[in-house]
Short mmCIF file of all heavy atoms in Angstrom, two decimals:
data_model
loop_
_atom_site.label_atom_id
_atom_site.label_comp_id
_atom_site.label_asym_id
_atom_site.label_seq_id
_atom_site.Cartn_x
_atom_site.Cartn_y
_atom_site.Cartn_z
N MET A 1 -75.29 -158.88 -51.13
CA MET A 1 -74.15 -159.36 -50.35
C MET A 1 -73.30 -158.17 -49.93
O MET A 1 -73.04 -157.29 -50.75
CB MET A 1 -73.32 -160.32 -51.19
CG MET A 1 -72.38 -161.17 -50.37
SD MET A 1 -71.55 -162.40 -51.39
CE MET A 1 -70.24 -161.43 -52.09
N SER A 2 -72.88 -158.14 -48.72
CA SER A 2 -72.09 -156.99 -48.29
C SER A 2 -70.60 -157.27 -48.48
O SER A 2 -70.13 -158.39 -48.30
CB SER A 2 -72.41 -156.62 -46.85
OG SER A 2 -71.73 -157.47 -45.99
N ARG A 3 -69.93 -156.24 -48.90
CA ARG A 3 -68.50 -156.38 -49.15
C ARG A 3 -67.71 -156.12 -47.87
O ARG A 3 -68.18 -155.43 -46.99
CB ARG A 3 -68.08 -155.40 -50.27
CG ARG A 3 -68.55 -155.89 -51.62
CD ARG A 3 -68.55 -154.80 -52.65
NE ARG A 3 -69.55 -153.78 -52.33
CZ ARG A 3 -69.70 -152.63 -52.98
NH1 ARG A 3 -68.90 -152.34 -53.96
NH2 ARG A 3 -70.62 -151.76 -52.63
N ARG A 4 -66.53 -156.63 -47.87
CA ARG A 4 -65.73 -156.60 -46.63
C ARG A 4 -65.16 -155.24 -46.32
O ARG A 4 -64.78 -154.49 -47.22
CB ARG A 4 -64.56 -157.57 -46.76
CG ARG A 4 -64.97 -159.02 -46.64
CD ARG A 4 -63.73 -159.86 -46.62
NE ARG A 4 -62.85 -159.44 -45.54
CZ ARG A 4 -61.87 -160.18 -45.05
NH1 ARG A 4 -61.64 -161.37 -45.56
NH2 ARG A 4 -61.12 -159.76 -44.06
N LEU A 5 -65.07 -154.97 -45.04
CA LEU A 5 -64.38 -153.78 -44.56
C LEU A 5 -62.90 -153.87 -44.94
O LEU A 5 -62.28 -154.92 -44.79
CB LEU A 5 -64.50 -153.71 -43.04
CG LEU A 5 -63.84 -152.50 -42.37
CD1 LEU A 5 -64.70 -151.27 -42.57
CD2 LEU A 5 -63.63 -152.76 -40.88
N GLN A 6 -62.36 -152.78 -45.47
CA GLN A 6 -60.94 -152.74 -45.81
C GLN A 6 -60.18 -151.93 -44.76
O GLN A 6 -60.68 -150.91 -44.30
CB GLN A 6 -60.76 -152.09 -47.19
CG GLN A 6 -61.48 -152.85 -48.30
CD GLN A 6 -61.52 -152.05 -49.60
OE1 GLN A 6 -60.77 -151.10 -49.80
NE2 GLN A 6 -62.41 -152.45 -50.50
N VAL A 7 -59.00 -152.38 -44.43
CA VAL A 7 -58.20 -151.73 -43.39
C VAL A 7 -56.82 -151.38 -43.95
O VAL A 7 -56.16 -152.24 -44.54
CB VAL A 7 -58.04 -152.66 -42.16
CG1 VAL A 7 -57.23 -151.96 -41.07
CG2 VAL A 7 -59.40 -153.09 -41.63
N TYR A 8 -56.43 -150.13 -43.75
CA TYR A 8 -55.13 -149.65 -44.25
C TYR A 8 -54.41 -148.96 -43.09
O TYR A 8 -54.96 -148.03 -42.50
CB TYR A 8 -55.34 -148.67 -45.40
CG TYR A 8 -56.13 -149.26 -46.53
CD1 TYR A 8 -57.51 -149.08 -46.61
CD2 TYR A 8 -55.51 -150.03 -47.52
CE1 TYR A 8 -58.25 -149.64 -47.65
CE2 TYR A 8 -56.23 -150.59 -48.56
CZ TYR A 8 -57.60 -150.39 -48.61
OH TYR A 8 -58.32 -150.96 -49.64
N GLU A 9 -53.21 -149.42 -42.81
CA GLU A 9 -52.54 -148.95 -41.60
C GLU A 9 -51.14 -148.42 -41.86
O GLU A 9 -50.41 -148.93 -42.70
CB GLU A 9 -52.40 -150.12 -40.62
CG GLU A 9 -53.59 -150.29 -39.75
CD GLU A 9 -53.37 -151.40 -38.73
OE1 GLU A 9 -52.61 -152.35 -39.00
OE2 GLU A 9 -53.98 -151.31 -37.66
N THR A 10 -50.77 -147.43 -41.07
CA THR A 10 -49.36 -147.07 -40.92
C THR A 10 -49.08 -147.13 -39.42
O THR A 10 -49.97 -147.46 -38.63
CB THR A 10 -49.05 -145.65 -41.45
OG1 THR A 10 -49.64 -144.69 -40.55
CG2 THR A 10 -49.58 -145.43 -42.84
N ASP A 11 -47.88 -146.75 -39.03
CA ASP A 11 -47.57 -146.71 -37.60
C ASP A 11 -48.40 -145.66 -36.88
O ASP A 11 -48.60 -145.72 -35.68
CB ASP A 11 -46.08 -146.38 -37.38
CG ASP A 11 -45.19 -147.53 -37.82
OD1 ASP A 11 -45.71 -148.65 -37.99
OD2 ASP A 11 -43.99 -147.29 -37.99
N GLU A 12 -48.86 -144.65 -37.63
CA GLU A 12 -49.55 -143.51 -37.00
C GLU A 12 -51.06 -143.53 -37.11
O GLU A 12 -51.76 -142.95 -36.28
CB GLU A 12 -49.05 -142.21 -37.64
CG GLU A 12 -47.61 -141.90 -37.34
CD GLU A 12 -47.18 -140.65 -38.07
OE1 GLU A 12 -46.81 -140.77 -39.26
OE2 GLU A 12 -47.26 -139.59 -37.48
N ILE A 13 -51.58 -144.15 -38.15
CA ILE A 13 -53.02 -144.03 -38.39
C ILE A 13 -53.56 -145.32 -39.01
O ILE A 13 -52.87 -145.98 -39.79
CB ILE A 13 -53.30 -142.81 -39.31
CG1 ILE A 13 -54.80 -142.51 -39.42
CG2 ILE A 13 -52.68 -142.98 -40.69
CD1 ILE A 13 -55.11 -141.16 -40.07
N THR A 14 -54.78 -145.64 -38.64
CA THR A 14 -55.51 -146.73 -39.27
C THR A 14 -56.70 -146.13 -40.01
O THR A 14 -57.48 -145.38 -39.42
CB THR A 14 -56.04 -147.73 -38.22
OG1 THR A 14 -54.94 -148.25 -37.48
CG2 THR A 14 -56.80 -148.88 -38.88
N VAL A 15 -56.80 -146.42 -41.30
CA VAL A 15 -57.93 -145.96 -42.10
C VAL A 15 -58.75 -147.18 -42.48
O VAL A 15 -58.21 -148.19 -42.92
CB VAL A 15 -57.44 -145.24 -43.38
CG1 VAL A 15 -58.62 -144.84 -44.26
CG2 VAL A 15 -56.61 -144.02 -43.02
N THR A 16 -60.06 -147.08 -42.29
CA THR A 16 -60.93 -148.18 -42.72
C THR A 16 -61.89 -147.67 -43.79
O THR A 16 -62.27 -146.51 -43.80
CB THR A 16 -61.73 -148.77 -41.54
OG1 THR A 16 -62.50 -147.74 -40.93
CG2 THR A 16 -60.81 -149.41 -40.52
N PHE A 17 -62.27 -148.59 -44.66
CA PHE A 17 -63.18 -148.26 -45.76
C PHE A 17 -64.27 -149.32 -45.83
O PHE A 17 -63.98 -150.50 -45.95
CB PHE A 17 -62.40 -148.20 -47.07
CG PHE A 17 -63.29 -148.00 -48.27
CD1 PHE A 17 -64.01 -146.83 -48.44
CD2 PHE A 17 -63.40 -149.00 -49.23
CE1 PHE A 17 -64.84 -146.66 -49.54
CE2 PHE A 17 -64.22 -148.83 -50.34
CZ PHE A 17 -64.94 -147.65 -50.50
N GLU A 18 -65.48 -148.85 -45.77
CA GLU A 18 -66.63 -149.75 -45.85
C GLU A 18 -67.28 -149.58 -47.23
O GLU A 18 -68.01 -148.61 -47.47
CB GLU A 18 -67.64 -149.35 -44.76
CG GLU A 18 -68.16 -150.52 -43.97
CD GLU A 18 -68.97 -150.09 -42.77
OE1 GLU A 18 -68.43 -149.33 -41.94
OE2 GLU A 18 -70.13 -150.50 -42.71
N PRO A 19 -66.98 -150.48 -48.16
CA PRO A 19 -67.43 -150.31 -49.54
C PRO A 19 -68.93 -150.10 -49.68
O PRO A 19 -69.38 -149.33 -50.54
CB PRO A 19 -67.00 -151.61 -50.24
CG PRO A 19 -65.97 -152.22 -49.36
CD PRO A 19 -66.22 -151.73 -47.96
N ASP A 20 -69.71 -150.75 -48.86
CA ASP A 20 -71.17 -150.65 -49.00
C ASP A 20 -71.71 -149.26 -48.69
O ASP A 20 -72.82 -148.92 -49.08
CB ASP A 20 -71.86 -151.67 -48.09
CG ASP A 20 -71.68 -153.08 -48.62
OD1 ASP A 20 -71.34 -153.23 -49.81
OD2 ASP A 20 -71.87 -154.03 -47.85
N LEU A 21 -70.94 -148.46 -47.96
CA LEU A 21 -71.41 -147.12 -47.60
C LEU A 21 -70.99 -146.05 -48.60
O LEU A 21 -71.55 -144.96 -48.63
CB LEU A 21 -70.87 -146.73 -46.21
CG LEU A 21 -71.39 -147.52 -45.02
CD1 LEU A 21 -70.79 -146.96 -43.73
CD2 LEU A 21 -72.91 -147.47 -44.95
N CYS A 22 -69.99 -146.35 -49.42
CA CYS A 22 -69.43 -145.34 -50.32
C CYS A 22 -70.46 -144.91 -51.36
O CYS A 22 -71.09 -145.74 -52.01
CB CYS A 22 -68.19 -145.91 -51.02
SG CYS A 22 -67.44 -144.77 -52.18
N ILE A 23 -70.62 -143.59 -51.51
CA ILE A 23 -71.55 -143.06 -52.52
C ILE A 23 -70.79 -142.50 -53.73
O ILE A 23 -71.36 -141.80 -54.56
CB ILE A 23 -72.46 -141.97 -51.91
CG1 ILE A 23 -71.62 -140.83 -51.31
CG2 ILE A 23 -73.40 -142.58 -50.85
CD1 ILE A 23 -72.45 -139.62 -50.88
N HIS A 24 -69.50 -142.81 -53.81
CA HIS A 24 -68.67 -142.46 -54.98
C HIS A 24 -68.70 -140.96 -55.28
O HIS A 24 -68.79 -140.56 -56.44
CB HIS A 24 -69.09 -143.29 -56.20
CG HIS A 24 -69.12 -144.76 -55.90
ND1 HIS A 24 -67.98 -145.50 -55.72
CD2 HIS A 24 -70.16 -145.61 -55.65
CE1 HIS A 24 -68.31 -146.75 -55.41
NE2 HIS A 24 -69.61 -146.84 -55.36
N SER A 25 -68.63 -140.18 -54.24
CA SER A 25 -68.61 -138.73 -54.40
C SER A 25 -67.29 -138.25 -54.99
O SER A 25 -67.22 -137.17 -55.57
CB SER A 25 -68.82 -138.07 -53.04
OG SER A 25 -67.72 -138.36 -52.20
N GLY A 26 -66.24 -139.03 -54.78
CA GLY A 26 -64.93 -138.63 -55.29
C GLY A 26 -64.22 -137.61 -54.41
O GLY A 26 -63.16 -137.11 -54.78
N VAL A 27 -64.80 -137.27 -53.28
CA VAL A 27 -64.19 -136.27 -52.39
C VAL A 27 -62.79 -136.70 -51.98
O VAL A 27 -61.85 -135.91 -51.99
CB VAL A 27 -65.09 -136.04 -51.14
CG1 VAL A 27 -64.36 -135.21 -50.10
CG2 VAL A 27 -66.39 -135.37 -51.55
N CYS A 28 -62.62 -137.95 -51.64
CA CYS A 28 -61.32 -138.44 -51.16
C CYS A 28 -60.26 -138.39 -52.26
O CYS A 28 -59.16 -137.89 -52.04
CB CYS A 28 -61.45 -139.84 -50.59
SG CYS A 28 -62.22 -141.03 -51.70
N VAL A 29 -60.59 -138.87 -53.44
CA VAL A 29 -59.59 -138.93 -54.51
C VAL A 29 -59.23 -137.54 -55.03
O VAL A 29 -58.09 -137.29 -55.44
CB VAL A 29 -60.03 -139.85 -55.68
CG1 VAL A 29 -60.07 -141.29 -55.23
CG2 VAL A 29 -61.36 -139.44 -56.24
N ARG A 30 -60.17 -136.62 -54.98
CA ARG A 30 -59.86 -135.24 -55.40
C ARG A 30 -59.07 -134.50 -54.34
O ARG A 30 -58.19 -133.70 -54.64
CB ARG A 30 -61.15 -134.47 -55.71
CG ARG A 30 -61.74 -134.76 -57.07
CD ARG A 30 -62.76 -133.70 -57.47
NE ARG A 30 -63.82 -133.58 -56.47
CZ ARG A 30 -64.91 -134.32 -56.45
NH1 ARG A 30 -65.08 -135.24 -57.37
NH2 ARG A 30 -65.82 -134.16 -55.53
N GLY A 31 -59.37 -134.79 -53.09
CA GLY A 31 -58.75 -134.04 -52.00
C GLY A 31 -57.32 -134.45 -51.72
O GLY A 31 -56.49 -133.62 -51.36
N LEU A 32 -57.05 -135.74 -51.85
CA LEU A 32 -55.71 -136.25 -51.51
C LEU A 32 -55.37 -137.39 -52.48
O LEU A 32 -55.37 -138.57 -52.11
CB LEU A 32 -55.73 -136.74 -50.06
CG LEU A 32 -54.45 -136.64 -49.20
CD1 LEU A 32 -53.82 -135.25 -49.28
CD2 LEU A 32 -54.76 -137.00 -47.76
N PRO A 33 -55.10 -137.02 -53.74
CA PRO A 33 -54.96 -138.04 -54.79
C PRO A 33 -53.80 -139.00 -54.61
O PRO A 33 -53.84 -140.11 -55.14
CB PRO A 33 -54.82 -137.22 -56.07
CG PRO A 33 -54.52 -135.82 -55.65
CD PRO A 33 -55.03 -135.65 -54.25
N ALA A 34 -52.76 -138.59 -53.88
CA ALA A 34 -51.65 -139.53 -53.69
C ALA A 34 -52.06 -140.68 -52.77
O ALA A 34 -51.67 -141.83 -52.99
CB ALA A 34 -50.45 -138.80 -53.09
N VAL A 35 -52.88 -140.36 -51.80
CA VAL A 35 -53.27 -141.38 -50.81
C VAL A 35 -54.47 -142.20 -51.30
O VAL A 35 -54.51 -143.42 -51.11
CB VAL A 35 -53.60 -140.69 -49.45
CG1 VAL A 35 -54.21 -141.68 -48.47
CG2 VAL A 35 -52.34 -140.04 -48.87
N PHE A 36 -55.41 -141.53 -51.92
CA PHE A 36 -56.63 -142.22 -52.39
C PHE A 36 -56.60 -142.27 -53.91
O PHE A 36 -56.79 -141.26 -54.58
CB PHE A 36 -57.88 -141.47 -51.91
CG PHE A 36 -57.98 -141.34 -50.42
CD1 PHE A 36 -57.55 -140.19 -49.77
CD2 PHE A 36 -58.48 -142.39 -49.65
CE1 PHE A 36 -57.64 -140.07 -48.39
CE2 PHE A 36 -58.56 -142.28 -48.27
CZ PHE A 36 -58.14 -141.13 -47.64
N ASP A 37 -56.32 -143.44 -54.45
CA ASP A 37 -56.19 -143.58 -55.89
C ASP A 37 -56.84 -144.89 -56.32
O ASP A 37 -56.29 -145.98 -56.10
CB ASP A 37 -54.70 -143.55 -56.27
CG ASP A 37 -54.48 -143.57 -57.78
OD1 ASP A 37 -55.44 -143.85 -58.53
OD2 ASP A 37 -53.34 -143.32 -58.20
N VAL A 38 -58.00 -144.79 -56.93
CA VAL A 38 -58.77 -145.99 -57.28
C VAL A 38 -58.15 -146.78 -58.43
O VAL A 38 -58.59 -147.89 -58.71
CB VAL A 38 -60.24 -145.64 -57.60
CG1 VAL A 38 -60.98 -145.19 -56.36
CG2 VAL A 38 -60.33 -144.58 -58.69
N ARG A 39 -57.13 -146.22 -59.07
CA ARG A 39 -56.48 -146.98 -60.15
C ARG A 39 -55.54 -148.04 -59.59
O ARG A 39 -55.12 -148.94 -60.31
CB ARG A 39 -55.70 -146.03 -61.07
CG ARG A 39 -56.62 -145.11 -61.86
CD ARG A 39 -55.83 -144.02 -62.53
NE ARG A 39 -55.09 -143.24 -61.52
CZ ARG A 39 -54.36 -142.17 -61.80
NH1 ARG A 39 -54.26 -141.76 -63.04
NH2 ARG A 39 -53.72 -141.53 -60.85
N ARG A 40 -55.21 -147.89 -58.30
CA ARG A 40 -54.35 -148.91 -57.67
C ARG A 40 -55.21 -150.02 -57.08
O ARG A 40 -56.30 -149.75 -56.58
CB ARG A 40 -53.53 -148.29 -56.53
CG ARG A 40 -52.46 -147.34 -56.98
CD ARG A 40 -51.64 -146.93 -55.77
NE ARG A 40 -52.46 -146.41 -54.69
CZ ARG A 40 -52.33 -145.20 -54.15
NH1 ARG A 40 -51.39 -144.39 -54.58
NH2 ARG A 40 -53.12 -144.81 -53.18
N ARG A 41 -54.69 -151.21 -57.08
CA ARG A 41 -55.39 -152.30 -56.43
C ARG A 41 -55.52 -152.00 -54.93
O ARG A 41 -56.58 -152.16 -54.35
CB ARG A 41 -54.59 -153.60 -56.66
CG ARG A 41 -55.29 -154.81 -56.14
CD ARG A 41 -54.57 -156.06 -56.64
NE ARG A 41 -54.72 -157.15 -55.69
CZ ARG A 41 -55.83 -157.84 -55.54
NH1 ARG A 41 -56.87 -157.57 -56.30
NH2 ARG A 41 -55.90 -158.80 -54.64
N ARG A 42 -54.43 -151.56 -54.32
CA ARG A 42 -54.49 -151.11 -52.93
C ARG A 42 -54.75 -149.60 -52.98
O ARG A 42 -53.82 -148.80 -53.04
CB ARG A 42 -53.17 -151.45 -52.22
CG ARG A 42 -53.20 -151.14 -50.75
CD ARG A 42 -52.01 -151.80 -50.03
NE ARG A 42 -51.92 -151.27 -48.68
CZ ARG A 42 -51.10 -150.28 -48.31
NH1 ARG A 42 -50.27 -149.77 -49.18
NH2 ARG A 42 -51.12 -149.84 -47.09
N TRP A 43 -55.99 -149.23 -53.00
CA TRP A 43 -56.33 -147.85 -53.41
C TRP A 43 -56.12 -146.82 -52.32
O TRP A 43 -56.03 -145.63 -52.64
CB TRP A 43 -57.75 -147.81 -53.96
CG TRP A 43 -58.85 -147.79 -52.96
CD1 TRP A 43 -59.34 -148.87 -52.29
CD2 TRP A 43 -59.61 -146.65 -52.51
NE1 TRP A 43 -60.33 -148.47 -51.44
CE2 TRP A 43 -60.52 -147.12 -51.57
CE3 TRP A 43 -59.59 -145.29 -52.82
CZ2 TRP A 43 -61.42 -146.27 -50.92
CZ3 TRP A 43 -60.47 -144.45 -52.19
CH2 TRP A 43 -61.38 -144.94 -51.25
N VAL A 44 -56.03 -147.24 -51.06
CA VAL A 44 -55.74 -146.30 -49.97
C VAL A 44 -54.32 -146.58 -49.46
O VAL A 44 -54.02 -147.70 -49.02
CB VAL A 44 -56.74 -146.46 -48.81
CG1 VAL A 44 -56.44 -145.42 -47.72
CG2 VAL A 44 -58.17 -146.30 -49.30
N MET A 45 -53.46 -145.59 -49.55
CA MET A 45 -52.09 -145.74 -49.06
C MET A 45 -51.78 -144.59 -48.10
O MET A 45 -51.18 -143.58 -48.51
CB MET A 45 -51.09 -145.80 -50.22
CG MET A 45 -51.31 -147.03 -51.09
SD MET A 45 -50.09 -147.24 -52.40
CE MET A 45 -48.69 -147.82 -51.46
N PRO A 46 -52.19 -144.73 -46.83
CA PRO A 46 -52.00 -143.63 -45.87
C PRO A 46 -50.55 -143.25 -45.67
O PRO A 46 -50.25 -142.13 -45.27
CB PRO A 46 -52.64 -144.16 -44.58
CG PRO A 46 -52.81 -145.62 -44.77
CD PRO A 46 -52.86 -145.89 -46.23
N GLU A 47 -49.64 -144.16 -45.98
CA GLU A 47 -48.22 -143.86 -45.82
C GLU A 47 -47.73 -142.79 -46.81
O GLU A 47 -46.63 -142.27 -46.67
CB GLU A 47 -47.37 -145.13 -45.95
CG GLU A 47 -47.46 -145.85 -47.28
CD GLU A 47 -48.60 -146.87 -47.34
OE1 GLU A 47 -49.70 -146.61 -46.79
OE2 GLU A 47 -48.38 -147.93 -47.96
N LEU A 48 -48.53 -142.46 -47.80
CA LEU A 48 -48.12 -141.45 -48.79
C LEU A 48 -48.56 -140.04 -48.41
O LEU A 48 -48.40 -139.10 -49.19
CB LEU A 48 -48.67 -141.82 -50.17
CG LEU A 48 -48.14 -143.14 -50.75
CD1 LEU A 48 -48.69 -143.38 -52.15
CD2 LEU A 48 -46.61 -143.14 -50.80
N GLY A 49 -49.10 -139.87 -47.21
CA GLY A 49 -49.47 -138.53 -46.74
C GLY A 49 -49.16 -138.41 -45.27
O GLY A 49 -48.90 -139.41 -44.59
N ALA A 50 -49.18 -137.18 -44.77
CA ALA A 50 -49.03 -136.97 -43.33
C ALA A 50 -50.29 -137.47 -42.64
O ALA A 50 -51.40 -137.30 -43.17
CB ALA A 50 -48.83 -135.50 -43.05
N ALA A 51 -50.12 -138.10 -41.49
CA ALA A 51 -51.27 -138.71 -40.82
C ALA A 51 -52.38 -137.69 -40.56
O ALA A 51 -53.57 -137.98 -40.75
CB ALA A 51 -50.82 -139.36 -39.51
N ALA A 52 -52.01 -136.48 -40.15
CA ALA A 52 -53.02 -135.46 -39.85
C ALA A 52 -53.79 -135.05 -41.11
O ALA A 52 -54.99 -134.79 -41.07
CB ALA A 52 -52.35 -134.23 -39.24
N GLU A 53 -53.06 -135.05 -42.23
CA GLU A 53 -53.68 -134.70 -43.51
C GLU A 53 -54.66 -135.80 -43.94
O GLU A 53 -55.76 -135.53 -44.43
CB GLU A 53 -52.53 -134.63 -44.52
CG GLU A 53 -52.63 -133.60 -45.56
CD GLU A 53 -51.37 -133.62 -46.45
OE1 GLU A 53 -50.71 -134.68 -46.61
OE2 GLU A 53 -51.06 -132.56 -46.96
N VAL A 54 -54.23 -137.03 -43.76
CA VAL A 54 -55.09 -138.17 -44.10
C VAL A 54 -56.35 -138.14 -43.23
O VAL A 54 -57.47 -138.30 -43.72
CB VAL A 54 -54.33 -139.51 -43.90
CG1 VAL A 54 -55.26 -140.70 -44.11
CG2 VAL A 54 -53.14 -139.58 -44.86
N ALA A 55 -56.18 -137.88 -41.94
CA ALA A 55 -57.31 -137.83 -41.02
C ALA A 55 -58.30 -136.74 -41.43
O ALA A 55 -59.51 -136.95 -41.46
CB ALA A 55 -56.82 -137.57 -39.60
N ALA A 56 -57.76 -135.55 -41.78
CA ALA A 56 -58.62 -134.44 -42.18
C ALA A 56 -59.42 -134.78 -43.44
O ALA A 56 -60.59 -134.45 -43.57
CB ALA A 56 -57.78 -133.19 -42.42
N GLN A 57 -58.77 -135.50 -44.36
CA GLN A 57 -59.46 -135.88 -45.58
C GLN A 57 -60.55 -136.92 -45.30
O GLN A 57 -61.65 -136.84 -45.83
CB GLN A 57 -58.46 -136.41 -46.61
CG GLN A 57 -59.06 -136.68 -47.96
CD GLN A 57 -59.66 -135.42 -48.57
OE1 GLN A 57 -59.01 -134.37 -48.64
NE2 GLN A 57 -60.92 -135.49 -48.98
N VAL A 58 -60.24 -137.86 -44.46
CA VAL A 58 -61.22 -138.89 -44.10
C VAL A 58 -62.46 -138.23 -43.47
O VAL A 58 -63.60 -138.63 -43.74
CB VAL A 58 -60.59 -139.93 -43.14
CG1 VAL A 58 -61.65 -140.79 -42.48
CG2 VAL A 58 -59.60 -140.80 -43.89
N GLU A 59 -62.25 -137.18 -42.69
CA GLU A 59 -63.38 -136.50 -42.06
C GLU A 59 -64.30 -135.82 -43.08
O GLU A 59 -65.45 -135.54 -42.79
CB GLU A 59 -62.88 -135.46 -41.04
CG GLU A 59 -62.41 -136.13 -39.76
CD GLU A 59 -61.79 -135.16 -38.78
OE1 GLU A 59 -61.85 -133.94 -39.02
OE2 GLU A 59 -61.23 -135.64 -37.78
N ARG A 60 -63.77 -135.58 -44.27
CA ARG A 60 -64.60 -134.94 -45.32
C ARG A 60 -65.42 -135.96 -46.11
O ARG A 60 -66.21 -135.57 -46.97
CB ARG A 60 -63.71 -134.15 -46.28
CG ARG A 60 -63.11 -132.94 -45.63
CD ARG A 60 -62.35 -132.07 -46.64
NE ARG A 60 -61.42 -131.23 -45.90
CZ ARG A 60 -60.10 -131.38 -45.88
NH1 ARG A 60 -59.53 -132.32 -46.63
NH2 ARG A 60 -59.34 -130.61 -45.15
N CYS A 61 -65.22 -137.23 -45.87
CA CYS A 61 -66.01 -138.26 -46.59
C CYS A 61 -67.48 -138.09 -46.21
O CYS A 61 -67.85 -138.20 -45.05
CB CYS A 61 -65.51 -139.65 -46.21
SG CYS A 61 -66.55 -140.98 -46.84
N PRO A 62 -68.35 -137.80 -47.19
CA PRO A 62 -69.73 -137.48 -46.88
C PRO A 62 -70.58 -138.68 -46.45
O PRO A 62 -71.65 -138.49 -45.86
CB PRO A 62 -70.27 -136.88 -48.19
CG PRO A 62 -69.39 -137.47 -49.25
CD PRO A 62 -68.05 -137.67 -48.63
N SER A 63 -70.14 -139.87 -46.74
CA SER A 63 -70.98 -141.04 -46.47
C SER A 63 -70.62 -141.78 -45.19
O SER A 63 -71.38 -142.62 -44.73
CB SER A 63 -70.84 -142.03 -47.63
OG SER A 63 -69.54 -142.59 -47.62
N GLY A 64 -69.44 -141.49 -44.65
CA GLY A 64 -68.98 -142.28 -43.50
C GLY A 64 -68.33 -143.59 -43.89
O GLY A 64 -68.00 -144.41 -43.04
N ALA A 65 -68.12 -143.79 -45.20
CA ALA A 65 -67.45 -145.03 -45.65
C ALA A 65 -66.01 -145.08 -45.16
O ALA A 65 -65.49 -146.15 -44.82
CB ALA A 65 -67.49 -145.11 -47.17
N LEU A 66 -65.36 -143.91 -45.14
CA LEU A 66 -63.99 -143.84 -44.62
C LEU A 66 -64.03 -143.43 -43.15
O LEU A 66 -64.76 -142.52 -42.77
CB LEU A 66 -63.19 -142.79 -45.41
CG LEU A 66 -62.78 -143.15 -46.84
CD1 LEU A 66 -62.23 -141.92 -47.55
CD2 LEU A 66 -61.76 -144.28 -46.85
N LYS A 67 -63.24 -144.11 -42.38
CA LYS A 67 -63.07 -143.74 -40.97
C LYS A 67 -61.59 -143.90 -40.62
O LYS A 67 -60.85 -144.57 -41.33
CB LYS A 67 -63.90 -144.65 -40.06
CG LYS A 67 -65.40 -144.53 -40.26
CD LYS A 67 -66.15 -145.19 -39.12
CE LYS A 67 -67.65 -145.03 -39.27
NZ LYS A 67 -68.20 -145.75 -40.42
N TYR A 68 -61.19 -143.29 -39.53
CA TYR A 68 -59.79 -143.44 -39.12
C TYR A 68 -59.69 -143.44 -37.61
O TYR A 68 -60.60 -143.00 -36.91
CB TYR A 68 -58.93 -142.30 -39.69
CG TYR A 68 -59.11 -140.99 -38.95
CD1 TYR A 68 -58.27 -140.64 -37.90
CD2 TYR A 68 -60.14 -140.13 -39.30
CE1 TYR A 68 -58.46 -139.44 -37.21
CE2 TYR A 68 -60.33 -138.94 -38.62
CZ TYR A 68 -59.49 -138.60 -37.57
OH TYR A 68 -59.69 -137.43 -36.89
N ARG A 69 -58.59 -143.94 -37.15
CA ARG A 69 -58.20 -143.69 -35.77
C ARG A 69 -56.68 -143.53 -35.74
O ARG A 69 -55.95 -144.20 -36.46
CB ARG A 69 -58.70 -144.75 -34.79
CG ARG A 69 -58.14 -146.11 -35.00
CD ARG A 69 -58.61 -147.09 -33.91
NE ARG A 69 -58.09 -148.41 -34.22
CZ ARG A 69 -58.69 -149.28 -35.01
NH1 ARG A 69 -59.85 -149.01 -35.53
NH2 ARG A 69 -58.13 -150.44 -35.28
N MET A 70 -56.25 -142.61 -34.90
CA MET A 70 -54.83 -142.41 -34.70
C MET A 70 -54.33 -143.55 -33.84
O MET A 70 -55.00 -143.98 -32.91
CB MET A 70 -54.55 -141.06 -34.04
CG MET A 70 -54.82 -139.88 -34.93
SD MET A 70 -53.87 -139.98 -36.48
CE MET A 70 -54.07 -138.32 -37.08
N ARG A 71 -53.14 -144.04 -34.17
CA ARG A 71 -52.59 -145.14 -33.40
C ARG A 71 -51.66 -144.57 -32.35
O ARG A 71 -50.93 -143.61 -32.59
CB ARG A 71 -51.83 -146.09 -34.32
CG ARG A 71 -52.73 -146.64 -35.41
CD ARG A 71 -52.00 -147.65 -36.25
NE ARG A 71 -51.80 -148.90 -35.53
CZ ARG A 71 -50.91 -149.81 -35.89
NH1 ARG A 71 -50.12 -149.61 -36.91
NH2 ARG A 71 -50.81 -150.92 -35.20
N SER A 72 -51.70 -145.17 -31.20
CA SER A 72 -50.85 -144.71 -30.11
C SER A 72 -49.39 -144.99 -30.45
O SER A 72 -49.05 -146.03 -31.01
CB SER A 72 -51.24 -145.46 -28.84
OG SER A 72 -50.25 -145.30 -27.88
N THR A 73 -48.53 -144.04 -30.15
CA THR A 73 -47.12 -144.23 -30.49
C THR A 73 -46.30 -144.64 -29.27
O THR A 73 -45.09 -144.73 -29.35
CB THR A 73 -46.54 -142.94 -31.11
OG1 THR A 73 -46.90 -141.84 -30.28
CG2 THR A 73 -47.04 -142.73 -32.51
N ASP A 74 -46.96 -144.83 -28.12
CA ASP A 74 -46.17 -145.23 -26.96
C ASP A 74 -46.23 -146.73 -26.71
O ASP A 74 -46.67 -147.50 -27.51
CB ASP A 74 -46.60 -144.48 -25.70
CG ASP A 74 -48.10 -144.38 -25.53
OD1 ASP A 74 -48.74 -145.45 -25.52
OD2 ASP A 74 -48.61 -143.26 -25.44
S1 SF4 B 1 -65.14 -139.54 -50.02
FE1 SF4 B 1 -66.18 -141.27 -49.07
S2 SF4 B 1 -68.08 -141.48 -50.23
FE2 SF4 B 1 -66.71 -140.22 -51.45
S3 SF4 B 1 -65.66 -141.67 -52.83
FE3 SF4 B 1 -64.38 -141.39 -51.01
S4 SF4 B 1 -64.98 -143.05 -49.67
FE4 SF4 B 1 -66.59 -142.86 -51.17
#
């Protein structure tokens, strides 16, 4: 059974997480522990980092489980 896509948003960025793709490398939680913290029920909190920083970390996800898009501010 496939698990649901998770969506985490701020005014600046939308981060999505596809649980079925995650290979549990830990790259995200080591790279930006304030934003990615698996001990929290809501484990991705993009509002706790700068949007550009969150985006850069998402790009380091080796599996493609994490993705992002910048939200238009106009
Ligand atoms: S970096 Fe990507 S593959 Fe690694 S634990 Fe985070 S979401 Fe999963």
